[in-house]
Amino acid sequence: MCGIVGAVAQRNIVPALLEGLQRLEYRGYDSCGLAVIRDHGLERARSTQRVAELAQQVQLEQLSGRLGISHTRWATHGAPATHNAHPHFSGNPPRIAVVHNGIIENYEQLREELSAEGYVFESQTDTEAVAHLVDSLYQGDLFEALQQACRRLVGAYALAVMSSDEPDRLAGARYGSPLVIGVGQNENFLASDALAIAGTTDQIIYLEDGDLVDLSTDTVLIVDRDGNDIDRIVHTVQAHMAAADLGPYRHYMQKEIFEQPRAVSDTLQDIDEIVPELFGAGAAEVFEEIDQVLILACGTSFYAGLTAKYWIESLAKIPTAVEIASEYRYRDSVPNPRTLVVTISQSGETADTLAALKHAKSLGMPHTLTICNVATSAMVRECELSFITRAGVEIGVASTKAFTTQLAALFLLAMALAKSKARLSSDRERELLRKLRHLPKAIAAVLALEPQVMDWADRFARKENALFLGRGMHYPVALEGALKLKEISYIHAEGYPAGELKHGPLALVTEAMPVVTIAPKDELLEKLKSNIQEVHARGGELYVFADADTNIRPENNIHVIRMPEHYGMLSPILHTITLQLLSYHTAVARGTDVDKPRNLAKSVTVE
Ligand code: HGA
C-alpha cells in the first residue's frame, strides 16, 4: 500500500527520498510524488508512472532541498491521477505539504467546513482535507497545528507534514497506519517501514498509535496520544539489503518461492521439543485456560488459517473457527472468553485483521496470539502471545514464503495445543518433529519439479478460467492455488472441495476449463479418483499433482506431475509450492507484472 518517506537533513535529501520510494515500490502503488522546501517555497513533482519516471522529472526540474516528503499512493479516494497524487499542498502560495497513508473517514465533513472557510480543493482525496486543516490551524508552529488537526481526524493515518515557514522541521503522526522514525547522523527520517530507509540508517523507532513526532536534523521529540512527552526505544534493525538483490532470479516472486527451504528452516529453528513458550512467556497458562480457537485473517493468511483448523482439530481436538477479519469485525458474534484468538498477517499491520483483533478483545476475549513476519509490528504489540515467522522480507505482492512459514508456525501451534491438552504422545511428538525437520529438504525436492510445471504453464497461459480441486486439508491449498493464479496471471480461477463438484461447478467443465487437482495419498484418495473420473467423463482436462504412491497415471486429457513421497499432515505445505510455481510461470508466459500485479498492494494498511 501507500509508502511514506520524509527527511530533514543538512544535505540534499532528494536522492534518499527517491531511493526510499524505490524500496517501497514492492508494496504496490498507482502514483507517486515528492515535495521539497527550497528558498522558503514548496516545490513538488508527481507522476502516475513508476518511481523511475518521477526521478527523471525531479532531475529535469532540478528539485533539491534539505527538507522533503515523498509518497507512493494506492488510491482509496479519487482516481489514480496526477492531481490526486501526494504530496498535497495548502495555502496560496503553498505553505503546508502533507503525505498520508490511510483513510480519513470524516473527510467529507472537513471538506465542507474548510470549503466554507474559503479553501479550494484540487483533488478528490481525503488527504487534501488534512493539508487544509493543518493550514487552517497553523500559526507559525507546525507541530502544534498537527496536534490540533489530529484531534479532528477520524479514521486511520500515518502523516508526514512540513511547512515552508519552518524549513528545518518535519512533523508526523501515526494512528492505525504504520510509521517509523529513522534516526541518522545530523539527519532524521520518517518512513512507512524500516526497509525504506535501510540504505541510510539502521536506527529505528517504531511509533505507537496516537503518537506525534517533531523532528529536526538533531532532535526527535515524540508525544503520545495524551500529549505527554514520551521515550520510545531505538531499535537497531538489520539492513535488509539482501532482500533487494534479485540474484539469478527473474522476479522477486520466483526468488521468494526458491527461498522457502531456508525460510521454513529458519522459522522452525532447531526446535527439538514442543513447549508453549515457543509462543511467548505465559503461553502455558493461556493454553490451559482456552477451550476453543478463533483464527482471524485475510487473503492468503486466511487460507493458512483454514489449513490450521484441520491440524488443530485433528491433533489437539480443540474446536476451531476461521473467519475473514473484515467480516468478523462487523457481525454480531457470540464471544467466549475461553477462546484463543489467533491473528495471521505477514506484515502484522493488515488493517482489517488488526481491527478484528481489537474487536475480539473488546468483546471480552483477552487471550490473543499473532503469527506474523515482523517482530515490531502493531499486531505483535497488540497480542498477548506471538510467533514470529522468519521468512525474511517478502517483496513480491503475492505471498509465497510468508504463507508456507505461517503454515509451519501453525503446525507447531497445533502440536503445542495438543501437548498442553495431553493429546500428543511423546512418540507422536518425536515423529512429527522429525517430519518437520525434514521439511526443508522435501520442499527443495518439490522445487526441482519446476521444469515440468513450466511445460504446463505454457498451456495454462492460453486459458481464461481454471478450477482447483482438493479435499480435506488440501481444500484450502486449492483455494490458495486459485487465488495465486488470479492475483498474478489474471486468469479467473476458483478453488473447490472436490466433493462439491457435482453440486454446481461441474456445469462449467468443458475442454476449455483446466481442472487442477491436488491428489495426496491419504484416506480420501479413492473418492478423489472418482472426482477425477467425473471431470474426465465430461471432456474436462485434468492437471493432477499426485503423490508418488497414488497410482494415478497420465492418459488422454489427464496430465500428471508426480510429487515426492507423501508427507502426512505436512503435505499441504508441499502441494502449495507446486501451485505457486504454476501461477508464477503462467503469469510469466502471459507477460504480466508478476511482482506488482495490477490493483493490488502489499501490506494492506487500509480497510
Ligand atoms: N486515502 C489516501 C491514501 C490512500 C492509502 O493510504 N493507500 O494505501 C488516498 O486515497 O490518496
Side-chain angles (χ1 to χ4, degrees):
M1 294 249 128
C2 292
I4 289 176
V5 192
V8 52
Q10 291 174 353
R11 60 179 171 126
N12 173 21
I13 40 69
V14 167
L17 294 181
L18 286 169
E19 186 191 327
L21 290 187
Q22 250 146 12
R23 286 170 167 271
L24 288 174
E25 280 193 296
Y26 77 94
R27 290 170 164 240
Y29 65 104
D30 45 49
S31 52
C32 47
L34 176 152
V36 288
I37 290 182
R38 188 161 53 175
D39 304 330
H40 288 269
L42 280 170
E43 293 178 11
R44 78 179 155 194
R46 296 184 290 177
S47 167
T48 53
Q49 314 280 307
R50 295 274 155 205
V51 173
E53 205 272 343
L54 178 73
Q56 280 174 9
Q57 211 177 307
V58 162
Q59 199 181 16
L60 220 65
E61 293 169 24
Q62 298 187 333
L63 288 193
S64 73
R66 294 182 292 113
L67 174 64
I69 55 179
S70 61
H71 191 256
T72 49
R73 175 174 189 248
W74 187 83
T76 65
H77 291 63
T82 308
H83 69 282
N84 284 330
H86 304 206
H88 288 285
F89 284 177
S90 181
N92 193 8
R95 172 168 77 159
I96 300 291
V98 172
V99 290
H100 164 225
N101 177 196
I103 292 174
I104 306 300
E105 288 171 5
N106 60 336
Y107 79 102
E108 278 167 329
Q109 185 198 340
L110 293 172
R111 249 179 120 101
E112 253 172 54
E113 283 176 28
L114 291 158
S115 301
E117 280 181 40
Y119 285 100
V120 178
F121 281 78
E122 290 174 359
S123 77
Q124 285 78 48
T125 63
D126 48 339
T127 306
E128 194 181 355
V130 182
H132 295 317
L133 181 63
V134 173
D135 188 73
S136 73
L137 297 165
Y138 185 71
Q139 288 180 335
D141 185 335
L142 180 67
F143 191 59
E144 174 60 33
L146 181 61
Q147 265 179 306
Q148 287 181 30
C150 287
R151 282 184 213 123
R152 296 284 330 272
L153 300 181
V154 178
Y157 50 83
L159 294 166
V161 182
M162 58 186 192
S163 162
S164 56
D165 288 355
E166 297 176 85
D168 302 311
R169 193 175 203 186
L170 175 64
R174 174 201 165 137
Y175 191 84
S177 297
L179 191 66
V180 306
I181 302 172
V183 183
Q185 298 277 328
N186 296 322
E187 55 190 23
N188 287 309
F189 301 85
L190 284 176
S192 296
D193 68 29
L195 182 64
I197 42 180
T200 318
T201 179
D202 61 357
Q203 299 297 293
I204 301 295
I205 299 172
Y206 294 91
L207 293 174
E208 303 274 334
D209 271 350
D211 284 358
L212 281 107
V213 50
D214 187 5
L215 298 178
S216 71
T217 52
D218 49 11
T219 57
V220 175
L221 171 81
I222 305 171
V223 301
D224 68 12
R225 66 175 82 213
D226 303 319
N228 305 313
D229 288 3
I230 188 140
D231 278 333
R232 300 251 178 253
I233 299 164
V234 184
H235 298 260
T236 302
V237 172
Q238 298 289 316
H240 303 284
M241 293 304 290
D245 178 13
L246 260 182
Y249 300 103
R250 209 166 142 190
H251 297 97
Y252 286 108
M253 183 177 176
Q254 189 187 27
K255 176 178 182 233
E256 287 157 6
I257 289 173
F258 277 83
E259 277 173 356
Q260 289 178 108
R262 196 272 311 144
V264 168
S265 155
D266 286 359
T267 297
L268 295 172
Q269 302 161 62
D270 291 322
I271 296 169
D272 51 14
E273 195 197 342
I274 298 294
V275 289
E277 286 66 34
L278 287 171
F279 298 88
E285 292 75 28
V286 172
F287 290 177
E288 257 165 47
E289 225 168 274
I290 59 104
D291 54 24
Q292 89 183 29
V293 174
L294 169 64
I295 301 180
L296 302 170
C298 313
T300 289
S301 300
F302 173 69
Y303 297 143
L306 282 184
T307 315
K309 175 183 166 76
Y310 288 85
W311 289 336
I312 297 171
E313 294 202 343
S314 169
L315 285 174
K317 313 280 180 232
I318 300 175
T320 301
V322 192
E323 289 216 33
I324 290 177
S326 57
E327 287 296 315
Y328 172 74
R329 63 181 287 205
Y330 290 120
R331 75 175 184 87
D332 288 333
S333 55
V334 186
N336 168 0
R338 292 172 63 85
T339 302
L340 177 65
V341 179
V342 179
T343 58
I344 311 171
S345 160
Q346 188 282 129
S347 65
E349 305 284 350
T350 312
D352 285 324
T353 311
L354 203 49
L357 168 65
K358 289 179 182 164
H359 178 65
K361 284 168 75 172
S362 76
L363 293 178
M365 293 190 282
H367 297 314
T368 54
L369 183 156
T370 193
I371 292 183
C372 156
N373 199 29
V374 182
T376 47
S377 62
M379 232 171 272
V380 173
R381 290 197 300 267
E382 192 73 29
C383 279
E384 195 178 20
L385 305 173
S386 61
F387 185 97
I388 307 302
T389 53
R390 291 187 162 73
V393 178
E394 189 177 68
I395 292 198
V397 165
S399 180
T400 52
K401 61 179 180 168
F403 178 62
T404 43
T405 53
Q406 284 168 355
L407 288 177
L410 286 161
F411 193 80
L412 290 174
L413 177 64
M415 287 178 74
L417 289 172
K419 197 167 170 186
S420 91
K421 302 292 181 199
R423 288 175 188 137
L424 187 72
S425 69
S426 41
D427 281 356
R428 182 86 167 120
E429 179 182 349
R430 265 197 304 279
E431 177 209 329
L432 291 175
L433 276 175
R434 203 171 44 245
K435 287 224 157 95
L436 270 172
R437 271 195 292 273
H438 198 257
L439 198 54
K441 276 204 187 103
I443 295 174
V446 174
L447 290 170
L449 298 172
E450 188 182 37
Q452 293 176 56
V453 179
M454 282 168 81
D455 284 349
W456 283 9
D458 280 341
R459 261 177 284 164
F460 248 78
R462 295 193 287 273
K463 308 286 183 187
E464 288 309 324
N465 297 286
L467 282 177
F468 285 69
L469 303 181
R471 294 193 76 125
M473 60 186 171
H474 293 85
Y475 163 48
V477 176
L479 290 170
E480 166 61 7
L483 176 65
K484 207 95 300 172
L485 193 70
K486 278 187 265 218
E487 282 180 308
I488 59 168
S489 76
Y490 315 147
I491 293 174
H492 171 232
E494 298 293 339
Y496 267 97
E500 267 296 286
L501 205 56
K502 55 191 175 297
H503 297 290
L506 201 55
L508 295 170
V509 169
T510 65
E511 69 280 5
M513 173 75 86
V515 180
V516 180
T517 308
I518 304 157
K521 171 96 171 82
D522 61 13
E523 60 285 359
L524 293 171
L525 178 64
E526 290 313 316
K527 299 204 180 300
L528 186 83
K529 282 181 173 171
S530 305
N531 302 140
I532 290 175
Q533 288 312 322
E534 288 160 15
V535 174
H536 193 228
R538 285 159 183 86
E541 190 170 21
L542 286 132
Y543 292 82
V544 187
F545 290 101
D547 282 358
D549 35 8
T550 51
N551 236 344
I552 299 176
R553 295 188 204 296
E555 54 180 287
N556 185 28
N557 269 355
I558 303 184
H559 314 284
V560 180
I561 289 183
R562 215 159 282 297
M563 299 284 290
E565 70 181 280
H566 185 54
Y567 252 68
M569 294 188 98
L570 293 170
S571 167
I573 299 179
L574 301 181
H575 275 279
T576 284
I577 287 167
T578 39
L579 300 186
Q580 292 170 351
L581 287 169
L582 181 63
S583 299
Y584 171 72
H585 285 291
T586 304
V588 170
R590 283 168 77 97
T592 59
D593 193 350
V594 175
D595 286 330
K596 299 187 202 83
R598 71 180 173 213
N599 305 340
L600 297 184
K602 196 89 185 157
S603 307
V604 187
T605 49
V606 294
E607 195 184 323

Short mmCIF file of all heavy atoms in Angstrom, two decimals, residues 106-145:
data_model
loop_
_atom_site.label_atom_id
_atom_site.label_comp_id
_atom_site.label_asym_id
_atom_site.label_seq_id
_atom_site.Cartn_x
_atom_site.Cartn_y
_atom_site.Cartn_z
N ASN A 106 -13.89 11.12 8.21
CA ASN A 106 -14.76 12.31 8.27
C ASN A 106 -14.31 13.38 7.27
O ASN A 106 -14.51 14.57 7.50
CB ASN A 106 -14.81 12.87 9.69
CG ASN A 106 -13.44 13.29 10.21
OD1 ASN A 106 -12.43 12.79 9.72
ND2 ASN A 106 -13.39 14.17 11.17
N TYR A 107 -13.72 12.95 6.16
CA TYR A 107 -13.17 13.95 5.24
C TYR A 107 -14.26 14.79 4.57
O TYR A 107 -14.03 15.96 4.26
CB TYR A 107 -12.27 13.28 4.18
CG TYR A 107 -12.99 12.62 3.04
CD1 TYR A 107 -13.09 13.23 1.80
CD2 TYR A 107 -13.58 11.38 3.21
CE1 TYR A 107 -13.76 12.63 0.74
CE2 TYR A 107 -14.25 10.77 2.17
CZ TYR A 107 -14.34 11.39 0.94
OH TYR A 107 -15.01 10.80 -0.09
N GLU A 108 -15.45 14.20 4.40
CA GLU A 108 -16.50 14.99 3.73
C GLU A 108 -16.92 16.17 4.59
O GLU A 108 -17.06 17.30 4.11
CB GLU A 108 -17.69 14.10 3.39
CG GLU A 108 -17.45 13.33 2.11
CD GLU A 108 -18.44 12.21 1.88
OE1 GLU A 108 -18.92 11.63 2.88
OE2 GLU A 108 -18.70 11.91 0.70
N GLN A 109 -17.08 15.89 5.87
CA GLN A 109 -17.44 16.96 6.80
C GLN A 109 -16.33 18.02 6.84
O GLN A 109 -16.60 19.22 6.78
CB GLN A 109 -17.65 16.33 8.18
CG GLN A 109 -18.14 17.30 9.22
CD GLN A 109 -17.90 16.73 10.63
OE1 GLN A 109 -17.72 15.52 10.81
NE2 GLN A 109 -17.89 17.61 11.61
N LEU A 110 -15.07 17.56 6.89
CA LEU A 110 -13.95 18.51 6.93
C LEU A 110 -13.91 19.33 5.64
O LEU A 110 -13.67 20.54 5.67
CB LEU A 110 -12.62 17.76 7.11
CG LEU A 110 -12.41 17.07 8.46
CD1 LEU A 110 -11.17 16.20 8.45
CD2 LEU A 110 -12.31 18.12 9.58
N ARG A 111 -14.15 18.65 4.53
CA ARG A 111 -14.15 19.35 3.23
C ARG A 111 -15.18 20.48 3.23
O ARG A 111 -14.88 21.60 2.78
CB ARG A 111 -14.54 18.33 2.14
CG ARG A 111 -13.41 17.97 1.20
CD ARG A 111 -13.92 16.96 0.20
NE ARG A 111 -13.78 17.50 -1.14
CZ ARG A 111 -12.80 17.18 -1.98
NH1 ARG A 111 -11.91 16.32 -1.63
NH2 ARG A 111 -12.73 17.71 -3.18
N GLU A 112 -16.36 20.16 3.73
CA GLU A 112 -17.43 21.18 3.76
C GLU A 112 -17.00 22.38 4.60
O GLU A 112 -17.11 23.52 4.18
CB GLU A 112 -18.69 20.58 4.38
CG GLU A 112 -19.78 20.31 3.37
CD GLU A 112 -20.93 19.53 4.00
OE1 GLU A 112 -21.45 19.98 5.04
OE2 GLU A 112 -21.25 18.45 3.45
N GLU A 113 -16.51 22.06 5.81
CA GLU A 113 -16.12 23.15 6.72
C GLU A 113 -15.00 23.99 6.11
O GLU A 113 -15.05 25.22 6.14
CB GLU A 113 -15.58 22.54 8.02
CG GLU A 113 -16.66 22.03 8.94
CD GLU A 113 -16.06 21.35 10.17
OE1 GLU A 113 -14.92 21.70 10.60
OE2 GLU A 113 -16.73 20.45 10.67
N LEU A 114 -14.01 23.32 5.55
CA LEU A 114 -12.84 24.05 5.04
C LEU A 114 -13.20 24.82 3.77
O LEU A 114 -12.69 25.92 3.53
CB LEU A 114 -11.68 23.07 4.80
CG LEU A 114 -11.10 22.50 6.10
CD1 LEU A 114 -10.37 21.18 5.87
CD2 LEU A 114 -10.15 23.53 6.74
N SER A 115 -14.10 24.25 2.95
CA SER A 115 -14.56 24.98 1.75
C SER A 115 -15.27 26.25 2.20
O SER A 115 -15.09 27.32 1.61
CB SER A 115 -15.52 24.14 0.92
OG SER A 115 -14.89 22.96 0.51
N ALA A 116 -16.08 26.14 3.26
CA ALA A 116 -16.81 27.31 3.76
C ALA A 116 -15.84 28.39 4.23
O ALA A 116 -16.12 29.57 4.16
CB ALA A 116 -17.74 26.90 4.88
N GLU A 117 -14.65 27.93 4.69
CA GLU A 117 -13.63 28.90 5.13
C GLU A 117 -12.87 29.47 3.94
O GLU A 117 -11.99 30.31 4.11
CB GLU A 117 -12.60 28.21 6.03
CG GLU A 117 -13.07 28.03 7.45
CD GLU A 117 -11.99 27.35 8.30
OE1 GLU A 117 -10.79 27.66 8.14
OE2 GLU A 117 -12.36 26.47 9.08
N GLY A 118 -13.16 28.99 2.73
CA GLY A 118 -12.52 29.55 1.54
C GLY A 118 -11.45 28.67 0.92
O GLY A 118 -10.82 29.04 -0.07
N TYR A 119 -11.18 27.48 1.47
CA TYR A 119 -10.18 26.59 0.87
C TYR A 119 -10.72 25.96 -0.41
O TYR A 119 -11.88 25.57 -0.47
CB TYR A 119 -9.77 25.49 1.86
CG TYR A 119 -8.85 26.02 2.94
CD1 TYR A 119 -9.33 26.33 4.20
CD2 TYR A 119 -7.50 26.23 2.67
CE1 TYR A 119 -8.50 26.83 5.18
CE2 TYR A 119 -6.66 26.73 3.65
CZ TYR A 119 -7.15 27.03 4.90
OH TYR A 119 -6.31 27.53 5.86
N VAL A 120 -9.88 25.93 -1.41
CA VAL A 120 -10.30 25.35 -2.70
C VAL A 120 -9.64 23.98 -2.83
O VAL A 120 -8.41 23.86 -2.70
CB VAL A 120 -9.87 26.26 -3.87
CG1 VAL A 120 -10.26 25.64 -5.21
CG2 VAL A 120 -10.49 27.64 -3.71
N PHE A 121 -10.43 22.96 -3.08
CA PHE A 121 -9.91 21.58 -3.19
C PHE A 121 -9.54 21.29 -4.64
O PHE A 121 -10.32 21.52 -5.55
CB PHE A 121 -10.95 20.58 -2.67
CG PHE A 121 -10.98 20.52 -1.17
CD1 PHE A 121 -11.61 21.51 -0.43
CD2 PHE A 121 -10.34 19.50 -0.50
CE1 PHE A 121 -11.61 21.46 0.96
CE2 PHE A 121 -10.34 19.43 0.89
CZ PHE A 121 -10.97 20.42 1.62
N GLU A 122 -8.34 20.77 -4.81
CA GLU A 122 -7.86 20.47 -6.17
C GLU A 122 -7.91 18.98 -6.48
O GLU A 122 -7.64 18.56 -7.59
CB GLU A 122 -6.42 20.96 -6.33
CG GLU A 122 -6.35 22.47 -6.35
CD GLU A 122 -4.92 22.98 -6.35
OE1 GLU A 122 -3.99 22.15 -6.31
OE2 GLU A 122 -4.77 24.21 -6.37
N SER A 123 -8.19 18.15 -5.45
CA SER A 123 -8.19 16.71 -5.67
C SER A 123 -9.48 16.11 -5.12
O SER A 123 -10.26 16.81 -4.48
CB SER A 123 -7.00 16.07 -4.96
OG SER A 123 -7.27 15.97 -3.57
N GLN A 124 -9.65 14.84 -5.38
CA GLN A 124 -10.82 14.14 -4.79
C GLN A 124 -10.40 13.34 -3.55
O GLN A 124 -11.17 12.55 -3.04
CB GLN A 124 -11.42 13.16 -5.81
CG GLN A 124 -12.23 13.80 -6.92
CD GLN A 124 -11.35 14.39 -7.98
OE1 GLN A 124 -10.41 13.75 -8.44
NE2 GLN A 124 -11.61 15.63 -8.35
N THR A 125 -9.19 13.54 -3.10
CA THR A 125 -8.71 12.69 -2.00
C THR A 125 -9.23 13.16 -0.64
O THR A 125 -9.60 14.32 -0.46
CB THR A 125 -7.17 12.72 -1.90
OG1 THR A 125 -6.78 14.07 -1.61
CG2 THR A 125 -6.52 12.27 -3.19
N ASP A 126 -9.23 12.21 0.29
CA ASP A 126 -9.50 12.55 1.69
C ASP A 126 -8.30 13.30 2.28
O ASP A 126 -8.44 14.16 3.15
CB ASP A 126 -9.76 11.26 2.48
CG ASP A 126 -8.73 10.17 2.23
OD1 ASP A 126 -8.04 10.21 1.18
OD2 ASP A 126 -8.60 9.27 3.06
N THR A 127 -7.11 13.01 1.73
CA THR A 127 -5.87 13.57 2.29
C THR A 127 -5.81 15.10 2.19
O THR A 127 -5.30 15.77 3.08
CB THR A 127 -4.66 12.97 1.53
OG1 THR A 127 -4.77 11.55 1.60
CG2 THR A 127 -3.35 13.44 2.10
N GLU A 128 -6.35 15.64 1.10
CA GLU A 128 -6.23 17.09 0.91
C GLU A 128 -6.91 17.84 2.05
O GLU A 128 -6.48 18.94 2.43
CB GLU A 128 -6.81 17.51 -0.45
CG GLU A 128 -6.39 18.93 -0.81
CD GLU A 128 -6.96 19.42 -2.13
OE1 GLU A 128 -7.61 18.64 -2.85
OE2 GLU A 128 -6.75 20.61 -2.44
N ALA A 129 -7.95 17.22 2.64
CA ALA A 129 -8.62 17.87 3.77
C ALA A 129 -7.63 18.05 4.94
O ALA A 129 -7.70 19.04 5.67
CB ALA A 129 -9.82 17.05 4.21
N VAL A 130 -6.70 17.08 5.08
CA VAL A 130 -5.72 17.18 6.17
C VAL A 130 -4.80 18.38 5.92
O VAL A 130 -4.49 19.16 6.83
CB VAL A 130 -4.87 15.89 6.30
CG1 VAL A 130 -3.89 16.00 7.45
CG2 VAL A 130 -5.77 14.68 6.46
N ALA A 131 -4.37 18.53 4.66
CA ALA A 131 -3.47 19.64 4.33
C ALA A 131 -4.15 20.98 4.67
O ALA A 131 -3.56 21.84 5.34
CB ALA A 131 -3.09 19.59 2.85
N HIS A 132 -5.41 21.14 4.25
CA HIS A 132 -6.10 22.41 4.52
C HIS A 132 -6.40 22.58 6.01
O HIS A 132 -6.33 23.69 6.54
CB HIS A 132 -7.39 22.49 3.71
CG HIS A 132 -7.15 22.53 2.21
ND1 HIS A 132 -6.16 23.32 1.66
CD2 HIS A 132 -7.76 21.90 1.18
CE1 HIS A 132 -6.18 23.16 0.33
NE2 HIS A 132 -7.14 22.29 0.02
N LEU A 133 -6.69 21.45 6.67
CA LEU A 133 -6.98 21.53 8.11
C LEU A 133 -5.73 22.03 8.86
O LEU A 133 -5.82 22.93 9.70
CB LEU A 133 -7.41 20.15 8.62
CG LEU A 133 -7.78 20.07 10.10
CD1 LEU A 133 -8.99 20.93 10.43
CD2 LEU A 133 -8.07 18.61 10.49
N VAL A 134 -4.59 21.45 8.53
CA VAL A 134 -3.34 21.87 9.20
C VAL A 134 -3.10 23.34 8.89
O VAL A 134 -2.78 24.15 9.79
CB VAL A 134 -2.14 21.00 8.76
CG1 VAL A 134 -0.83 21.56 9.31
CG2 VAL A 134 -2.33 19.55 9.20
N ASP A 135 -3.29 23.73 7.65
CA ASP A 135 -3.06 25.14 7.28
C ASP A 135 -4.00 26.06 8.07
O ASP A 135 -3.58 27.12 8.55
CB ASP A 135 -3.28 25.32 5.77
CG ASP A 135 -2.86 26.70 5.32
OD1 ASP A 135 -1.63 26.93 5.25
OD2 ASP A 135 -3.75 27.55 5.10
N SER A 136 -5.25 25.63 8.21
CA SER A 136 -6.23 26.50 8.89
C SER A 136 -5.88 26.67 10.37
O SER A 136 -6.28 27.64 11.00
CB SER A 136 -7.64 25.92 8.75
OG SER A 136 -7.77 24.77 9.56
N LEU A 137 -5.12 25.71 10.92
CA LEU A 137 -4.78 25.77 12.34
C LEU A 137 -3.37 26.32 12.57
O LEU A 137 -2.92 26.46 13.71
CB LEU A 137 -4.88 24.35 12.94
CG LEU A 137 -6.28 23.73 12.92
CD1 LEU A 137 -6.21 22.23 13.18
CD2 LEU A 137 -7.18 24.40 13.95
N TYR A 138 -2.67 26.57 11.47
CA TYR A 138 -1.25 26.92 11.56
C TYR A 138 -1.04 28.38 11.97
O TYR A 138 -1.56 29.30 11.33
CB TYR A 138 -0.59 26.67 10.20
CG TYR A 138 0.91 26.88 10.20
CD1 TYR A 138 1.74 25.99 10.86
CD2 TYR A 138 1.49 27.97 9.56
CE1 TYR A 138 3.12 26.17 10.88
CE2 TYR A 138 2.87 28.16 9.56
CZ TYR A 138 3.67 27.25 10.23
OH TYR A 138 5.03 27.44 10.25
N GLN A 139 -0.29 28.54 13.07
CA GLN A 139 0.04 29.91 13.49
C GLN A 139 1.52 30.00 13.76
O GLN A 139 1.95 30.54 14.78
CB GLN A 139 -0.76 30.27 14.74
CG GLN A 139 -2.23 30.47 14.40
CD GLN A 139 -3.05 30.83 15.62
OE1 GLN A 139 -2.70 30.51 16.74
NE2 GLN A 139 -4.16 31.51 15.38
N GLY A 140 2.31 29.43 12.86
CA GLY A 140 3.76 29.51 13.00
C GLY A 140 4.39 28.33 13.71
O GLY A 140 5.61 28.26 13.84
N ASP A 141 3.59 27.37 14.20
CA ASP A 141 4.14 26.21 14.89
C ASP A 141 3.52 24.94 14.28
O ASP A 141 2.38 24.58 14.60
CB ASP A 141 3.81 26.30 16.39
CG ASP A 141 4.46 25.17 17.20
OD1 ASP A 141 4.74 24.10 16.61
OD2 ASP A 141 4.68 25.35 18.41
N LEU A 142 4.28 24.31 13.40
CA LEU A 142 3.75 23.17 12.64
C LEU A 142 3.29 22.03 13.54
O LEU A 142 2.23 21.43 13.34
CB LEU A 142 4.85 22.65 11.68
CG LEU A 142 4.47 21.47 10.81
CD1 LEU A 142 3.42 21.85 9.78
CD2 LEU A 142 5.70 20.89 10.10
N PHE A 143 4.11 21.74 14.54
CA PHE A 143 3.79 20.60 15.41
C PHE A 143 2.50 20.85 16.17
O PHE A 143 1.63 19.97 16.27
CB PHE A 143 4.96 20.35 16.37
CG PHE A 143 4.84 19.06 17.11
CD1 PHE A 143 4.77 17.85 16.43
CD2 PHE A 143 4.81 19.04 18.50
CE1 PHE A 143 4.66 16.65 17.11
CE2 PHE A 143 4.70 17.84 19.19
CZ PHE A 143 4.62 16.65 18.50
N GLU A 144 2.36 22.08 16.64
CA GLU A 144 1.15 22.45 17.37
C GLU A 144 -0.07 22.31 16.44
O GLU A 144 -1.10 21.74 16.81
CB GLU A 144 1.32 23.90 17.87
CG GLU A 144 0.11 24.51 18.53
CD GLU A 144 -0.33 23.76 19.78
OE1 GLU A 144 0.54 23.22 20.47
OE2 GLU A 144 -1.57 23.70 20.02
N ALA A 145 0.08 22.77 15.20
CA ALA A 145 -1.04 22.70 14.24
C ALA A 145 -1.39 21.24 13.95
O ALA A 145 -2.57 20.88 13.87
CB ALA A 145 -0.67 23.44 12.95
#
